[in-house]
């Protein structure tokens, strides 16, 4: 243990305390403040759980989370098995398409599916034109549409987790089951699936928590009786009604508590369940099965079906972005570049802010994340595991909790929220785990003997890091940089509470154009532009990523 390591850890802890622990503590403290007296007490929480409406919203959110998890699991299990076990042509392309929603803004998909599946959207208009139906079918508005959109958005987490689990299973386990006569579906249920439990939970907990953090999807679909949506409405629109404002703050805290509790339970369960084989092990590709013609054809059809649903998002938004109007028509008939002219010439500030804020947040993330990963992996500094735990825990915090806590903590006293720097600082705190996980994974894969050999030769730690460690870490660091930037670029839940006039980003611009009832083509053009930027960055990840993503987000990676 070196003096330099202790000093570095102290600096990192100071940053975490100031930008994470302090604002979240203020949020919790504020939730106990009694409106009438200004004193502290449990009245806000008692009022929340004694109010039938708020109890209903809490129950609705739990029910929605369960449905979203069940739906994504039902569709994700066969998809993950196909991608992990079957050797088929075009599997890489299908994998990229199916995993695309993981980096696409959730709100972009909502707009696309409303256009396509809405009451007077493409599907209903075509069905009525062909005389199949007389009145529109409600495909999208209601809990069924909400479950469909959220499950599709979260499907990649289930697929990634299960694919990693299927690949890492020692073939000897399944072969032994087959020798005992358990083949096909029975072997899958009794051997394969149970062995994937830790991998599955790593993704399932993220899926289950999503409805507790997503306030925008229900709001756009007119389904407001859910905890995050009610919290947003109470805080954003009822700032003069102090009781409703504090009910909103309590709702944010309760959502955060549920997310943290489930995250910790899942983490404990994953670490408790160690499925380790002592046999010959498996290859990086895992067990490969050559399916018969019927199964292979069915697999292709299933992958095409899921990929088509995903591709609807950029296709529909692209058509809408280049159309003058798309109302009561199955497909647009009038085309224009006006929407992009408005974005690029009249509101270039949105694009500029998105890039500037995300880039500054990224710089903060790299400057913090690399030393933090070094402390966690390479030193015995006291508190390093706690540092890793606190940063990782930020994955479970709703973006709304970060935004509201920053607004409360940095408005008076420490008036950072009155300056534009609050935007990149909030993005830094919100998305830091994405970079740290990549850097952490890269350090674990770097042989420590290389660094030790350099130091034995008399080279200092800083020079060793710059000349030995950093070049070898570069691949994982670049993946972390791109992932951090993508997630910061599309962030809205945190930024929506902090922006002021002139600080708007592309996600906020999309929301405001929808919210103000302005022409949808402009919002669609913004969303399409975000998708293009995200897709380019995703290609960079696919090019340099290798196994970094799986190593960073696997169940054993924490």
């Amino acid at each position: 243990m070196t003096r330099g390591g202790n000093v570095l850890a102290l600096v990192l802890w100071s940053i975490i305390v100031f930008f994470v622990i302090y604002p979240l503590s203020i949020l919790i403290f504020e939730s106990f403040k009694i409106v009438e007296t200004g004193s502290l007490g449990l009245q806000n929480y008692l009022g929340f759980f004694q109010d039938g409406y708020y109890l209903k919203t809490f129950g609705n959110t739990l029910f929605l989370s369960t449905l979203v998890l069940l739906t994504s699991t039902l569709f994700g299990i066969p998809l993950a098995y196909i991608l992990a076990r079957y050797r088929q042509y075009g599997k890489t392309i299908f994998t990229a398409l199916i995993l695309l929603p993981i980096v696409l803004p959730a709100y972009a998909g909502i707009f696309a599916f409303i256009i396509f599946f809405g009451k007077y959207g493409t599907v209903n208009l075509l069905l009525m034109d062909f005389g199949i139906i007389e009145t529109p079918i409600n495909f999208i508005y209601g809990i069924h549409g909400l479950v469909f959109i959220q499950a599709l958005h979260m499907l990649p987490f289930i697929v990634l987790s299960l694919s990693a689990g299927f690949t890492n299973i020692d073939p000897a386990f399944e072969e032994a089951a087959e020798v005992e006569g358990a083949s096909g579906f029975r072997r899958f249920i009794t051997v394969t699936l149970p062995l994937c439990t830790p991998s599955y939970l790593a993704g399932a907990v993220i899926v289950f928590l999503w409805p507790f953090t997503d306030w925008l999807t229900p709001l756009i679909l007119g389904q407001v009786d859910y905890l995050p949506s009610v919290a947003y409405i109470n805080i954003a629109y009822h700032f003069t009604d102090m009781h409703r404002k504090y009910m909103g703050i309590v709702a944010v805290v309760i959502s955060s508590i549920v997310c943290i509790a489930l995250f910790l339970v899942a983490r404990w369960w994953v670490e408790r369940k160690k499925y380790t084989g002592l046999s010959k092990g498996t290859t990086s590709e895992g067990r490969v099965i050559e399916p018969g013609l019927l199964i292979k054809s069915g697999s292709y059809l299933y992958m095409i079906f899921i990929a088509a649903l995903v591709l609807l998002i950029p296709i529909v938004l692209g058509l809408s972005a280049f159309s003058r109007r798309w109302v009561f028509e199955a497909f647009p008939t009038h085309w224009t570049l006006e929407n992009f002219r408005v974005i690029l010439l009249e509101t270039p500030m949105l694009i500029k802010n998105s890039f500037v804020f995300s880039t500054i947040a990224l710089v903060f993330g790299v400057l913090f994340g690399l030393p933090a990963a070094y402390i966690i992996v390479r030193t015995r500094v006291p508190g390093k595991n706690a540092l890793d735990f606190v940063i990782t825990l930020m994955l479970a915090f709703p973006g709304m909790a970060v935004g509201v806590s920053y607004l409360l903590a940095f408005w008076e006293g420490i008036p950072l929220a009155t300056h534009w720097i609050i935007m990149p600082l909030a993005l830094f705190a919100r998305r830091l785990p994405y970079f740290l996980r990549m850097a952490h994974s890269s350090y674990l894969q770097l042989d420590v003997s290389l660094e030790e050999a350099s130091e034995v030769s008399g080279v200092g730690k800083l020079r060793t890091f710059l000349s030995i460690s950093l070049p070898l870490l570069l691949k994982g660091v670049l993946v972390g940089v791109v992932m951090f930037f993508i997630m910061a670029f599309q962030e809205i839940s945190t930024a929506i509470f902090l922006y002021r006039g002139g600080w708007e980003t592309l996600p906020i611009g999309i929301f405001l154009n929808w919210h103000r009832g302005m022409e949808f083509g402009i919002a669609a053009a913004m969303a399409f532009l975000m998708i293009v930027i995200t897709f380019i960055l995703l290609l960079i990840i696919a090019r340099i990523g290798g196994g970094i993503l799986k190593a960073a987000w696997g169940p054993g990676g924490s």
Side-chain angles (χ1 to χ4, degrees):
M1 185 188 306
T2 65
R3 178 183 176 87
N6 288 328
V7 171
L8 180 58
L10 182 61
V11 172
L12 296 176
W13 265 114
S14 299
I15 294 172
I16 287 297
V17 167
F18 186 73
F19 289 110
V20 175
I21 297 176
Y22 166 67
L24 292 175
S25 300
I26 293 296
L27 174 68
I28 297 172
F29 175 83
E30 196 73 16
S31 70
F32 287 101
K33 188 176 292 185
I34 301 171
V35 177
E36 293 80 6
T37 63
S39 58
L40 301 180
L42 295 174
Q43 279 86 335
N44 293 335
Y45 286 91
L46 293 175
F48 182 93
F49 287 106
Q50 289 172 356
D51 190 310
Y53 176 71
Y54 290 115
L55 280 178
K56 173 187 172 183
T57 62
F58 184 75
N60 288 348
T61 311
L62 278 175
F63 182 60
L64 177 62
S65 292
T66 304
L67 291 180
V68 170
L69 178 59
L70 289 175
T71 304
S72 58
T73 300
L74 182 64
F75 284 92
I77 289 176
L79 194 56
Y81 193 83
I82 292 168
L83 295 175
R85 291 295 175 85
Y86 296 164
R87 183 178 288 138
Q88 295 177 304
Y89 292 111
K91 188 167 74 171
T92 302
I93 297 175
F94 279 117
T95 301
L97 289 176
I98 290 166
L99 298 182
L100 191 60
I102 202 172
V103 292
L104 287 182
Y107 42 85
I110 309 169
F111 293 132
F113 287 120
I114 287 176
I115 294 172
F116 199 76
F117 291 112
K119 287 191 175 181
Y120 287 94
T122 299
V123 173
N124 269 314
L125 290 174
L126 288 175
L127 291 176
M128 287 189 288
D129 288 343
F130 286 116
I132 299 176
I133 60 174
E134 294 183 359
T135 57
I137 299 174
N138 181 14
F139 288 112
I140 205 72
Y141 291 99
I143 191 170
H144 58 290
L146 191 54
V147 170
F148 163 69
I149 291 173
Q150 291 192 340
L152 182 65
H153 179 66
M154 303 306 290
L155 181 65
F157 288 99
I158 296 294
V159 175
L160 272 177
S161 301
L162 283 175
S163 293
F166 291 141
T167 300
N168 292 332
I169 291 177
D170 190 331
F173 290 117
E174 295 180 321
E175 291 166 0
E178 290 170 357
V179 168
E180 295 295 325
S183 60
F185 184 74
R186 183 182 174 191
R187 182 207 68 223
F188 178 79
I189 293 296
T190 58
V191 178
T192 306
L193 208 54
L195 289 173
C196 288
T197 301
S199 295
Y200 168 73
L201 284 177
V205 66
I206 298 176
V207 175
F208 189 86
L209 296 181
W210 178 247
F212 279 92
T213 67
D214 181 20
W215 56 273
L216 186 52
T217 304
L219 205 62
I220 292 175
L221 293 179
Q223 305 290 307
V224 297
D225 294 339
Y226 296 94
L227 207 56
S229 300
V230 167
Y232 171 76
I233 292 172
N234 279 9
I235 295 172
Y237 295 103
H238 294 285
F239 47 86
T240 57
D241 186 339
M242 298 306 292
H243 175 73
R244 294 193 65 171
K245 172 190 170 183
Y246 278 97
M247 285 296 99
I249 293 174
V250 168
V252 171
V253 173
I254 290 174
S255 293
S256 302
I257 290 173
V258 171
C259 291
I260 295 300
L262 290 175
F263 182 84
L264 293 178
V265 168
R267 182 184 172 116
W268 168 79
W269 180 267
V270 167
E271 291 177 349
R272 186 169 76 82
K273 293 289 185 179
K274 298 290 186 182
Y275 298 112
T276 304
L278 301 177
S279 57
K280 62 186 178 182
T282 182
T283 64
S284 61
E285 190 181 15
R287 188 184 189 191
V288 176
I289 298 174
E290 294 292 343
L293 180 61
L294 183 61
I295 294 179
K296 179 177 286 190
S297 301
S299 300
Y300 272 119
L301 289 175
Y302 189 70
M303 288 192 296
I304 290 171
F305 169 69
I306 300 296
L309 288 177
V310 173
L311 281 174
L312 273 178
I313 298 173
I315 290 174
V316 171
L317 288 176
L319 290 174
S320 183
F322 288 98
S323 65
R324 186 180 302 278
R325 59 179 177 84
W326 191 353
V327 181
F328 297 110
E329 294 178 313
F331 300 99
T333 55
H334 299 83
W335 305 98
T336 183
L337 293 174
E338 178 66 17
N339 298 325
F340 288 97
R341 189 194 70 81
V342 171
I343 297 174
L344 298 175
L345 298 181
E346 296 185 14
T347 57
M349 172 193 64
L350 300 177
I351 302 174
K352 175 187 173 184
N353 287 345
S354 292
F355 275 101
V356 170
F357 294 160
S358 299
T359 302
I360 294 175
L362 175 60
V363 172
F364 292 155
V366 173
L367 292 177
F368 181 95
L370 281 176
Y374 172 79
I375 289 291
I376 293 167
V377 178
R378 289 288 191 259
T379 72
R380 297 173 181 265
V381 172
K384 68 168 189 172
N385 292 329
L387 180 67
D388 183 26
F389 175 76
V390 171
I391 297 172
T392 303
L393 208 60
M394 289 299 292
L395 285 170
F397 266 101
M400 185 183 301
V402 178
V404 175
S405 67
Y406 266 53
L407 187 63
L408 293 173
F410 298 124
W411 186 257
E412 297 178 354
I414 308 175
L416 287 176
T418 60
H419 303 280
W420 64 267
I421 195 64
I422 195 67
M423 298 289 281
L425 285 174
L427 294 178
F428 155 71
R430 172 81 170 115
R431 297 307 186 183
L432 177 61
Y434 287 88
F435 179 81
L436 181 65
R437 298 300 296 174
M438 302 300 172
H440 180 276
S441 169
S442 299
Y443 259 117
L444 289 176
Q445 296 178 23
L446 176 61
D447 192 344
V448 69
S449 62
L450 298 174
E451 297 170 319
E452 291 173 345
S454 175
E455 293 175 14
V456 167
S457 300
V459 179
K461 288 186 177 294
L462 179 61
R463 187 177 171 189
T464 296
F465 173 78
L466 294 176
S467 59
I468 302 294
S469 305
L470 187 58
L472 296 174
L473 293 171
L474 196 57
K475 182 178 179 180
V477 169
L478 287 176
V479 175
V481 164
V482 178
M483 274 297 295
F484 184 104
F485 188 87
I486 287 175
M487 304 311 292
F489 194 79
Q490 61 177 251
E491 175 64 31
I492 187 172
S493 293
T494 297
I496 197 71
F497 291 97
L498 299 173
Y499 86 94
R500 300 174 71 181
W503 302 354
E504 294 90 344
T505 58
L506 269 176
I508 294 174
I510 295 170
F511 172 73
L512 292 178
N513 273 279
W514 164 77
H515 191 263
R516 294 167 182 167
M518 299 173 67
E519 190 166 340
F520 179 71
I522 297 175
M526 291 178 180
F528 183 72
L529 185 60
M530 285 195 66
I531 288 175
V532 170
I533 294 170
T534 301
F535 187 71
I536 292 172
L537 295 173
L538 186 62
L539 289 178
I540 296 174
I541 287 184
R543 181 69 177 173
I544 65 177
I548 297 291
L549 283 173
K550 186 175 76 174
W553 299 104
S558 58

